[in-house]
Amino acid sequence: MLCGVAAYLVVQYVTGGGGAHGCQVVSASGDGASYDFTPEQAANAATIAAVGTGRGMPERAVTIALATALQESELRNIEHGDRDSLGLFQQRPSQGWGTARQIMDPAYAAGIFYAHLAKVPDYSGLPLTVAAQRVQRSGYPEAYAKHEPDATLLAAALTGRAAATLTCDGRPQRTASATGPAAVRAALVRDFGRDALQETGAVVGGTPVPSPSPSPSVTATARGRTVTVPVTGGAGSDATGRDERTRGWQLAQWAVANSSALHIERVSYAGREWTVGSDSDEWRPAGPAGAGGAESSVGAVRIVAGQ
Protein backbone atom coordinates (compact mmCIF):
# COMPACT_ATOMS: atom_id res chain seq x y z
CA MET A 1 0.00 0.00 0.00
CA LEU A 2 2.84 2.38 0.85
CA CYS A 3 4.41 1.70 -2.54
CA GLY A 4 1.09 2.49 -4.20
CA VAL A 5 0.76 5.78 -2.34
CA ALA A 6 4.33 6.72 -3.22
CA ALA A 7 3.74 5.94 -6.90
CA TYR A 8 0.58 8.04 -6.90
CA LEU A 9 2.39 11.01 -5.37
CA VAL A 10 5.18 10.77 -7.93
CA VAL A 11 2.66 10.75 -10.79
CA GLN A 12 0.83 13.72 -9.34
CA TYR A 13 4.07 15.66 -8.95
CA VAL A 14 5.23 14.97 -12.49
CA THR A 15 1.90 15.68 -14.13
CA GLY A 16 0.92 18.60 -11.96
CA GLY A 17 -2.24 16.84 -10.82
CA GLY A 18 -3.74 16.34 -7.41
CA GLY A 19 -5.24 19.81 -7.32
CA ALA A 20 -1.87 21.53 -6.80
CA HIS A 21 -1.99 25.09 -8.00
CA GLY A 22 1.63 25.80 -8.91
CA CYS A 23 1.18 29.54 -9.55
CA GLN A 24 0.29 32.52 -7.42
CA VAL A 25 -0.30 36.21 -7.94
CA VAL A 26 -0.25 38.62 -5.02
CA SER A 27 -1.42 42.17 -4.56
CA ALA A 28 1.19 44.86 -5.06
CA SER A 29 -0.52 47.05 -2.47
CA GLY A 30 0.46 44.82 0.44
CA ASP A 31 -3.13 44.15 1.49
CA GLY A 32 -2.55 40.39 1.56
CA ALA A 33 -4.82 39.58 -1.37
CA SER A 34 -3.67 36.67 -3.53
CA TYR A 35 -4.93 34.15 -6.05
CA ASP A 36 -3.60 30.61 -6.54
CA PHE A 37 -4.02 28.96 -9.92
CA THR A 38 -2.58 26.26 -12.15
CA PRO A 39 0.11 26.53 -14.84
CA GLU A 40 -2.54 25.86 -17.49
CA GLN A 41 -4.64 28.74 -16.19
CA ALA A 42 -1.55 30.95 -15.95
CA ALA A 43 -0.55 30.38 -19.57
CA ASN A 44 -4.07 31.08 -20.81
CA ALA A 45 -4.36 34.21 -18.66
CA ALA A 46 -1.03 35.45 -20.00
CA THR A 47 -2.26 34.96 -23.56
CA ILE A 48 -5.46 36.89 -22.84
CA ALA A 49 -3.48 39.79 -21.35
CA ALA A 50 -0.91 39.83 -24.17
CA VAL A 51 -3.57 39.89 -26.88
CA GLY A 52 -5.38 42.70 -25.08
CA THR A 53 -2.38 44.98 -24.68
CA GLY A 54 -1.31 44.14 -28.21
CA ARG A 55 -4.62 45.54 -29.41
CA GLY A 56 -4.10 48.69 -27.36
CA MET A 57 -6.82 47.75 -24.88
CA PRO A 58 -6.54 49.21 -21.35
CA GLU A 59 -6.01 47.16 -18.21
CA ARG A 60 -9.72 47.37 -17.43
CA ALA A 61 -10.48 45.51 -20.66
CA VAL A 62 -8.01 42.78 -19.68
CA THR A 63 -9.71 42.50 -16.27
CA ILE A 64 -13.11 42.09 -17.95
CA ALA A 65 -11.74 39.44 -20.31
CA LEU A 66 -10.05 37.49 -17.51
CA ALA A 67 -13.14 37.57 -15.28
CA THR A 68 -15.23 36.35 -18.21
CA ALA A 69 -12.88 33.46 -18.95
CA LEU A 70 -12.72 32.54 -15.26
CA GLN A 71 -16.50 32.22 -15.21
CA GLU A 72 -16.95 30.55 -18.58
CA SER A 73 -14.13 27.98 -18.46
CA GLU A 74 -12.05 28.52 -15.32
CA LEU A 75 -9.33 29.71 -17.72
CA ARG A 76 -9.15 26.28 -19.35
CA ASN A 77 -9.34 25.75 -23.07
CA ILE A 78 -12.12 23.19 -22.96
CA GLU A 79 -13.56 21.32 -25.94
CA HIS A 80 -17.14 21.19 -24.70
CA GLY A 81 -19.87 23.34 -23.20
CA ASP A 82 -23.52 24.28 -23.52
CA ARG A 83 -24.67 23.32 -27.00
CA ASP A 84 -21.73 24.12 -29.29
CA SER A 85 -19.85 26.40 -26.87
CA LEU A 86 -16.08 25.96 -26.89
CA GLY A 87 -12.84 27.30 -25.49
CA LEU A 88 -11.82 29.89 -22.94
CA PHE A 89 -14.84 32.10 -23.47
CA GLN A 90 -17.32 29.38 -24.46
CA GLN A 91 -17.86 30.99 -27.84
CA ARG A 92 -20.22 29.31 -30.29
CA PRO A 93 -19.41 28.64 -33.95
CA SER A 94 -23.12 28.70 -34.75
CA GLN A 95 -23.34 32.27 -33.46
CA GLY A 96 -20.64 33.67 -35.70
CA TRP A 97 -17.66 33.59 -33.32
CA GLY A 98 -15.53 31.63 -35.78
CA THR A 99 -14.85 28.03 -36.63
CA ALA A 100 -14.37 25.46 -33.88
CA ARG A 101 -10.67 25.34 -34.70
CA GLN A 102 -10.34 29.11 -34.44
CA ILE A 103 -12.22 29.30 -31.14
CA MET A 104 -9.96 26.62 -29.65
CA ASP A 105 -6.96 28.88 -30.34
CA PRO A 106 -6.66 31.00 -27.14
CA ALA A 107 -5.11 33.95 -28.98
CA TYR A 108 -7.94 34.01 -31.53
CA ALA A 109 -10.60 33.58 -28.85
CA ALA A 110 -9.19 36.47 -26.83
CA GLY A 111 -8.88 38.64 -29.92
CA ILE A 112 -12.50 38.15 -30.98
CA PHE A 113 -13.66 38.82 -27.41
CA TYR A 114 -11.79 42.14 -27.39
CA ALA A 115 -13.13 43.01 -30.83
CA HIS A 116 -16.67 42.70 -29.49
CA LEU A 117 -15.84 44.45 -26.21
CA ALA A 118 -14.39 47.43 -28.06
CA LYS A 119 -17.80 47.99 -29.65
CA VAL A 120 -19.49 48.36 -26.24
CA PRO A 121 -19.88 52.11 -25.55
CA ASP A 122 -17.93 53.22 -22.46
CA TYR A 123 -17.17 49.64 -21.43
CA SER A 124 -14.41 50.82 -19.09
CA GLY A 125 -16.92 52.82 -17.09
CA LEU A 126 -19.51 50.07 -16.86
CA PRO A 127 -19.76 47.53 -14.02
CA LEU A 128 -17.80 44.45 -15.01
CA THR A 129 -20.91 42.28 -15.12
CA VAL A 130 -22.62 44.67 -17.52
CA ALA A 131 -19.63 44.98 -19.85
CA ALA A 132 -19.06 41.21 -19.94
CA GLN A 133 -22.74 40.48 -20.48
CA ARG A 134 -22.97 42.81 -23.48
CA VAL A 135 -20.34 40.67 -25.15
CA GLN A 136 -21.32 37.22 -23.90
CA ARG A 137 -25.14 37.31 -23.63
CA SER A 138 -24.96 34.81 -20.79
CA GLY A 139 -27.94 33.31 -19.00
CA TYR A 140 -26.20 34.10 -15.68
CA PRO A 141 -24.73 37.59 -16.08
CA GLU A 142 -24.24 38.25 -12.35
CA ALA A 143 -21.83 35.30 -12.11
CA TYR A 144 -19.00 37.37 -13.59
CA ALA A 145 -18.86 39.65 -10.54
CA LYS A 146 -17.42 37.03 -8.17
CA HIS A 147 -14.31 36.75 -10.33
CA GLU A 148 -13.49 40.46 -10.44
CA PRO A 149 -11.04 40.48 -7.47
CA ASP A 150 -8.98 37.61 -8.89
CA ALA A 151 -9.13 39.00 -12.41
CA THR A 152 -7.96 42.38 -11.13
CA LEU A 153 -4.88 40.81 -9.52
CA LEU A 154 -4.11 38.83 -12.67
CA ALA A 155 -4.56 41.82 -14.96
CA ALA A 156 -2.26 44.01 -12.86
CA ALA A 157 0.52 41.41 -13.05
CA LEU A 158 0.04 40.24 -16.64
CA THR A 159 -0.15 43.74 -18.11
CA GLY A 160 3.06 44.58 -16.24
CA ARG A 161 1.67 47.30 -13.96
CA ALA A 162 2.34 45.26 -10.81
CA ALA A 163 5.98 44.17 -10.96
CA ALA A 164 7.28 40.90 -9.54
CA THR A 165 3.86 39.79 -8.26
CA LEU A 166 3.39 36.57 -10.25
CA THR A 167 5.33 33.37 -9.57
CA CYS A 168 5.01 29.72 -10.59
CA ASP A 169 6.83 26.61 -9.45
CA GLY A 170 7.82 25.97 -13.06
CA ARG A 171 7.31 22.21 -12.81
CA PRO A 172 7.84 21.02 -16.42
CA GLN A 173 4.84 19.61 -18.23
CA ARG A 174 5.57 16.35 -20.00
CA THR A 175 2.82 17.20 -22.46
CA ALA A 176 4.72 20.20 -23.81
CA SER A 177 4.70 19.96 -27.61
CA ALA A 178 7.96 21.88 -28.00
CA THR A 179 10.63 23.34 -25.75
CA GLY A 180 13.82 25.35 -26.08
CA PRO A 181 14.50 28.88 -27.34
CA ALA A 182 12.67 28.41 -30.63
CA ALA A 183 9.51 27.31 -28.79
CA VAL A 184 9.73 30.34 -26.48
CA ARG A 185 10.00 32.69 -29.41
CA ALA A 186 7.12 30.99 -31.23
CA ALA A 187 4.95 31.42 -28.14
CA LEU A 188 5.93 35.08 -27.87
CA VAL A 189 4.94 35.61 -31.49
CA ARG A 190 1.68 33.71 -30.93
CA ASP A 191 0.62 35.90 -28.01
CA PHE A 192 2.18 39.30 -28.69
CA GLY A 193 2.23 39.21 -32.48
CA ARG A 194 5.14 38.95 -34.86
CA ASP A 195 5.20 42.65 -35.67
CA ALA A 196 5.41 43.63 -32.01
CA LEU A 197 8.44 41.40 -31.51
CA GLN A 198 10.11 42.56 -34.68
CA GLU A 199 9.82 46.14 -33.49
CA THR A 200 11.63 45.31 -30.24
CA GLY A 201 14.32 43.25 -31.96
CA ALA A 202 13.65 39.90 -30.29
CA VAL A 203 16.59 37.53 -30.64
CA VAL A 204 16.97 33.79 -30.22
CA GLY A 205 19.89 31.40 -30.04
CA GLY A 206 22.38 32.94 -32.50
CA THR A 207 20.51 32.20 -35.75
CA PRO A 208 18.93 34.62 -38.23
CA VAL A 209 15.25 35.15 -37.54
CA PRO A 210 13.19 35.81 -40.68
CA SER A 211 10.63 38.57 -40.44
CA PRO A 212 7.43 39.05 -42.35
CA SER A 213 7.19 41.47 -45.22
CA PRO A 214 7.38 44.45 -45.10
CA SER A 215 9.23 44.48 -41.75
CA PRO A 216 13.05 44.51 -41.94
CA SER A 217 14.86 41.32 -40.95
CA VAL A 218 16.14 40.86 -37.42
CA THR A 219 19.32 38.92 -36.66
CA ALA A 220 19.42 36.89 -33.48
CA THR A 221 22.57 37.27 -31.40
CA ALA A 222 21.62 35.59 -28.13
CA ARG A 223 23.71 32.71 -26.85
CA GLY A 224 22.72 29.14 -26.20
CA ARG A 225 19.36 28.73 -24.51
CA THR A 226 18.71 32.40 -23.78
CA VAL A 227 15.98 34.41 -25.50
CA THR A 228 16.58 38.15 -25.13
CA VAL A 229 13.68 40.49 -25.77
CA PRO A 230 14.62 44.18 -25.66
CA VAL A 231 11.82 46.43 -24.45
CA THR A 232 13.37 49.73 -25.44
CA GLY A 233 11.92 51.37 -28.50
CA GLY A 234 11.78 54.62 -30.32
CA ALA A 235 8.78 55.81 -28.34
CA GLY A 236 8.60 56.05 -24.58
CA SER A 237 5.23 54.36 -24.31
CA ASP A 238 2.94 52.07 -26.27
CA ALA A 239 -0.59 52.55 -27.55
CA THR A 240 -2.05 52.21 -24.08
CA GLY A 241 0.36 54.73 -22.54
CA ARG A 242 2.45 52.07 -20.76
CA ASP A 243 6.15 52.84 -20.32
CA GLU A 244 9.03 50.51 -21.10
CA ARG A 245 9.30 49.14 -17.58
CA THR A 246 5.64 48.14 -17.64
CA ARG A 247 6.09 46.39 -20.99
CA GLY A 248 9.17 44.66 -19.62
CA TRP A 249 7.37 43.33 -16.58
CA GLN A 250 4.55 42.08 -18.77
CA LEU A 251 7.01 40.07 -20.84
CA ALA A 252 8.84 38.81 -17.74
CA GLN A 253 5.71 37.65 -15.97
CA TRP A 254 4.33 36.20 -19.20
CA ALA A 255 7.45 34.02 -19.30
CA VAL A 256 6.95 32.85 -15.71
CA ALA A 257 3.30 32.07 -16.45
CA ASN A 258 4.48 29.88 -19.34
CA SER A 259 7.40 28.31 -17.47
CA SER A 260 5.79 24.88 -17.08
CA ALA A 261 4.52 24.63 -20.65
CA LEU A 262 7.77 25.87 -22.23
CA HIS A 263 10.24 24.48 -19.65
CA ILE A 264 11.57 27.94 -18.85
CA GLU A 265 14.23 27.86 -16.12
CA ARG A 266 15.05 31.50 -15.44
CA VAL A 267 13.57 34.92 -16.18
CA SER A 268 15.50 38.12 -15.54
CA TYR A 269 14.45 41.74 -15.71
CA ALA A 270 15.26 45.08 -14.08
CA GLY A 271 17.63 43.63 -11.52
CA ARG A 272 15.20 40.91 -10.42
CA GLU A 273 15.25 37.22 -11.24
CA TRP A 274 12.84 34.31 -11.05
CA THR A 275 14.41 30.84 -11.04
CA VAL A 276 12.66 27.50 -11.25
CA GLY A 277 13.03 25.30 -8.17
CA SER A 278 13.57 26.35 -4.58
CA ASP A 279 13.39 30.07 -5.36
CA SER A 280 10.37 29.87 -7.65
CA ASP A 281 7.99 31.44 -5.14
CA GLU A 282 9.57 34.87 -5.33
CA TRP A 283 11.56 37.29 -7.45
CA ARG A 284 15.04 37.73 -5.99
CA PRO A 285 17.75 40.32 -6.61
CA ALA A 286 19.68 39.26 -9.68
CA GLY A 287 23.30 38.23 -9.80
CA PRO A 288 25.89 40.09 -11.89
CA ALA A 289 25.10 40.19 -15.59
CA GLY A 290 27.43 38.06 -17.62
CA ALA A 291 27.99 35.60 -14.77
CA GLY A 292 24.77 33.68 -15.14
CA GLY A 293 22.89 36.60 -13.62
CA ALA A 294 20.17 38.83 -14.92
CA GLU A 295 19.85 41.84 -17.11
CA SER A 296 20.15 44.63 -14.52
CA SER A 297 18.67 47.41 -16.61
CA VAL A 298 15.12 47.82 -17.84
CA GLY A 299 16.31 47.49 -21.43
CA ALA A 300 15.68 43.79 -21.97
CA VAL A 301 14.02 40.68 -20.60
CA ARG A 302 16.15 37.53 -20.60
CA ILE A 303 14.45 34.14 -20.72
CA VAL A 304 16.52 30.98 -20.23
CA ALA A 305 14.80 27.97 -21.77
CA GLY A 306 15.32 24.36 -20.75
CA GLN A 307 15.68 21.45 -23.11
Side-chain angles (χ1 to χ4, degrees):
M1 185 175 68
L2 289 175
C3 290
V5 171
Y8 171 81
L9 292 175
V10 168
V11 170
Q12 295 305 302
Y13 179 84
V14 170
T15 62
H21 288 111
C23 296
Q24 183 181 65
V25 60
V26 299
S27 172
S29 65
D31 58 9
S34 65
Y35 174 61
D36 296 311
F37 53 122
T38 68
E40 177 191 2
Q41 292 172 308
N44 287 329
T47 292
I48 290 171
V51 172
T53 57
R55 284 175 165 261
M57 304 293 278
E59 184 180 330
R60 178 62 175 172
V62 176
T63 300
I64 295 168
L66 289 169
T68 302
L70 278 165
Q71 170 59 29
E72 297 292 351
S73 68
E74 296 183 346
L75 280 171
R76 292 181 170 88
N77 197 28
I78 54 180
E79 298 180 349
H80 56 81
D82 179 44
R83 287 171 283 191
D84 59 338
S85 299
L86 297 168
L88 291 174
F89 296 91
Q90 289 291 278
Q91 295 155 337
R92 299 179 60 192
S94 65
Q95 300 302 306
W97 287 94
T99 65
R101 182 175 180 178
Q102 286 175 322
I103 291 170
M104 289 301 297
D105 175 356
Y108 172 89
I112 197 69
F113 177 89
Y114 287 121
H116 282 74
L117 181 63
K119 297 177 182 179
V120 177
D122 190 33
Y123 67 83
S124 291
L126 295 174
L128 185 145
T129 54
V130 175
Q133 174 64 1
R134 291 188 181 175
V135 175
Q136 296 293 106
R137 307 297 182 185
S138 169
Y140 305 95
E142 297 304 317
Y144 299 117
K146 65 185 178 184
H147 300 290
E148 186 166 2
D150 295 334
T152 299
L153 289 178
L154 284 170
L158 291 170
T159 61
R161 179 175 62 81
T165 56
L166 187 147
T167 57
C168 292
D169 62 21
R171 185 183 308 162
Q173 292 179 0
R174 285 191 171 184
T175 56
S177 58
T179 60
V184 172
R185 186 181 188 280
L188 283 162
V189 170
R190 175 198 70 205
D191 287 359
F192 290 93
R194 184 178 297 272
D195 290 340
L197 289 182
Q198 297 294 342
E199 290 169 3
T200 64
V203 293
V204 178
T207 58
V209 177
S211 60
S213 177
S215 301
S217 62
V218 176
T219 301
T221 58
R223 297 179 179 178
R225 295 182 291 123
T226 300
V227 178
T228 302
V229 187
V231 296
T232 56
S237 61
D238 64 11
T240 63
R242 303 178 310 147
D243 60 20
E244 290 171 356
R245 182 180 290 270
T246 302
R247 294 201 302 273
W249 275 112
Q250 177 175 24
L251 287 161
Q253 295 186 127
W254 173 94
V256 173
N258 283 277
S259 58
S260 290
L262 298 173
H263 295 194
I264 291 170
E265 297 177 351
R266 182 184 302 121
V267 182
S268 310
Y269 181 63
R272 307 287 292 276
E273 185 175 79
W274 169 91
T275 305
V276 68
S278 60
D279 297 336
S280 63
D281 60 342
E282 60 183 303
W283 287 83
R284 294 177 175 267
E295 174 65 56
S296 61
S297 73
V298 297
V301 175
R302 296 203 319 172
I303 304 167
V304 178
Q307 299 297 331

